[in-house]
Amino acid sequence: MKLAWKRGTALLLVLVMIWGLCGCQKGKSIRFTTGLGDKELFKIGDEVCTRQEAMVFVLSQKKNYERSYGKEIWDVKIYGEPFSAYMRDNLQDFLAKMKCMVLMADKYKVELNDEEKLRIEQAAETYFEGLPENVIQASGIGEPDVKTVFHDYYVSNKLMKQLTADVSTEISEDEARVITVQQIFLSTEDLSAEEKEEKRKTAQKVKEQADAGADFAVLGKNNNESESFELQIARGDTEMQFENAAYALSTGQISEVVETAYGFHVIKCINNYDEQETAKHKTELARKCKEDRFYEYYDAFVKTIVAEYNEKAWKAIDYGQEFGEPQTDFYEVYDQYFGAEIY
């Protein structure tokens, strides 16, 4: 049921969404044919992506997730395959998109000034100096590879900024408003008309008890048929009937019985304006406005791409492999030199 969705940091949601740390995953994925060298993962136009470049991202992802979840994370099954394979597939899409954006940067005349070129060189040097010798040997990464990665990542950011410079990102407080509610849900799925009417009567009784001062949490414990009792939601997260009723409430108010395609709901508003989460959501919405505009350009460009893909080289990338632990992190170094800019 859609209403069981909850904003937060549950492990499954983290596993599904982690590639957001690397960049946007919207747009058409790219699949390639074979015919490259052992260390070449793919070629798009004149742009070649090597295993060493990919390893810069692998090392940072591996370091971050093993610290949070342990080395066993790579064997966790997600969508029926090991998490390591899931990450590798996402890495393929991400790197392909980044290389496409580098090609697009040429088309749209994105140029780097001397100061930007210097920062790229400094960032690459800082990152490479933080790699112990055993990590360098195991990963095969060289300083030129690191410089290429920082260059491509920065150029991709600059391209997106240039193509979306005129996009309005003004989002109203109400449009971005995040609220917290509690719900008592009675399912009507696969019920007869008579059975649905009985559920409606039960929901109405719950509503009357809540209005009379009964503890809503106790009512929920005794009547709620959803896995979720307390929900933090933004507009668009739930069915329209639920959203309209929830957003009409003030803090502490209880709704009338609300009917959706799934059943009946009695909703209590716990916080009708979570200021901190609303600010975060406003940033997300503004970013989405820019992404939508950017992918109008990107999707059209991808259709013109001819690419080659080295399946054997890709399969050899294993997040579960031991490379040693780098003393540096790509994203941290990028943030140090360029700010928290990710495309």
Side-chain angles (χ1 to χ4, degrees), residues 14 16-25 57 60-62 64-65 68-69 87 94 153 287 329-332 334 340-343:
V14 172
V16 173
M17 296 302 293
I18 46 106
W19 213 255
L21 292 174
C22 294
C24 307
Q25 289 303 304
F57 293 102
S60 290
Q61 292 288 337
K62 181 177 173 66
N64 291 334
Y65 286 98
S68 297
Y69 304 110
M87 286 287 290
F94 164 70
Y153 202 75
R287 181 181 177 84
D329 179 272
F330 172 81
Y331 306 106
E332 292 176 0
Y334 188 90
E341 303 171 356
I342 59 173
Y343 68 81

Side-chain angles (χ1 to χ4, degrees), residues 52-86:
Q52 294 91 324
E53 292 170 32
M55 287 305 303
V56 173
F57 293 102
V58 170
L59 290 179
S60 290
Q61 292 288 337
K62 181 177 173 66
K63 175 183 176 182
N64 291 334
Y65 286 98
E66 287 184 358
R67 283 184 174 181
S68 297
Y69 304 110
K71 294 184 178 181
E72 62 274 13
I73 183 65
W74 308 116
D75 295 323
V76 172
K77 292 294 180 65
I78 181 168
Y79 301 131
E81 64 178 356
F83 189 49
S84 176
Y86 175 81

Side-chain angles (χ1 to χ4, degrees), residues 299-315:
D299 288 342
F301 183 80
V302 166
K303 294 177 182 178
T304 69
I305 293 300
V306 176
E308 297 176 272
Y309 165 65
N310 187 337
E311 182 177 7
K312 183 177 180 180
W314 271 113
K315 295 296 184 182

Side-chain angles (χ1 to χ4, degrees), residues 183-186 219-229:
Q183 68 152 347
I184 297 173
F185 168 69
L186 298 173
L219 289 174
K221 183 177 181 180
N222 294 333
N223 297 279
N224 186 29
E225 297 177 2
S226 170
E227 295 179 358
S228 300
F229 174 63

Side-chain angles (χ1 to χ4, degrees), residues 65-217:
Y65 286 98
E66 287 184 358
R67 283 184 174 181
S68 297
Y69 304 110
K71 294 184 178 181
E72 62 274 13
I73 183 65
W74 308 116
D75 295 323
V76 172
K77 292 294 180 65
I78 181 168
Y79 301 131
E81 64 178 356
F83 189 49
S84 176
Y86 175 81
M87 286 287 290
R88 184 181 63 227
D89 290 345
N90 278 275
L91 176 64
Q92 173 187 312
D93 283 346
F94 164 70
L95 290 174
K97 288 170 183 174
M98 186 169 70
K99 290 296 185 180
C100 280
M101 291 173 78
V102 173
L103 290 174
M104 288 177 66
D106 288 336
K107 176 180 179 179
Y108 290 100
K109 310 299 182 184
V110 176
E111 298 179 351
L112 303 183
N113 58 39
D114 290 341
E115 188 272 336
E116 290 171 318
K117 293 176 182 177
L118 177 60
R119 279 195 292 159
I120 288 171
E121 291 181 359
Q122 292 172 334
E125 182 178 349
T126 297
Y127 175 86
F128 191 72
E129 287 178 350
L131 295 180
E133 186 61 32
N134 66 317
V135 175
I136 293 174
Q137 292 298 322
S139 65
I141 295 174
E143 191 166 355
D145 306 310
V146 177
K147 182 178 178 180
T148 297
V149 171
F150 275 99
H151 169 273
D152 291 355
Y153 202 75
Y154 182 80
V155 166
S156 298
N157 276 291
K158 190 167 184 177
L159 170 71
M160 186 169 185
K161 288 182 178 180
Q162 179 172 308
L163 295 182
T164 61
D166 63 342
V167 175
S168 173
T169 56
E170 292 186 9
I171 308 295
S172 70
E173 286 294 308
D174 190 60
E175 183 180 357
R177 182 159 57 104
V178 175
I179 66 175
T180 302
V181 299
Q182 294 174 344
Q183 68 152 347
I184 297 173
F185 168 69
L186 298 173
S187 175
T188 58
E189 292 187 274
D190 300 322
L191 297 185
S192 66
E194 292 78 8
E195 290 170 325
K196 287 182 180 180
E197 183 58 28
E198 288 301 314
K199 284 293 183 81
R200 181 191 296 275
K201 291 178 180 178
T202 301
Q204 185 60 43
K205 183 177 179 180
V206 168
K207 157 67 175 171
E208 292 169 358
Q209 290 174 326
D211 286 344
D215 189 308
F216 201 79

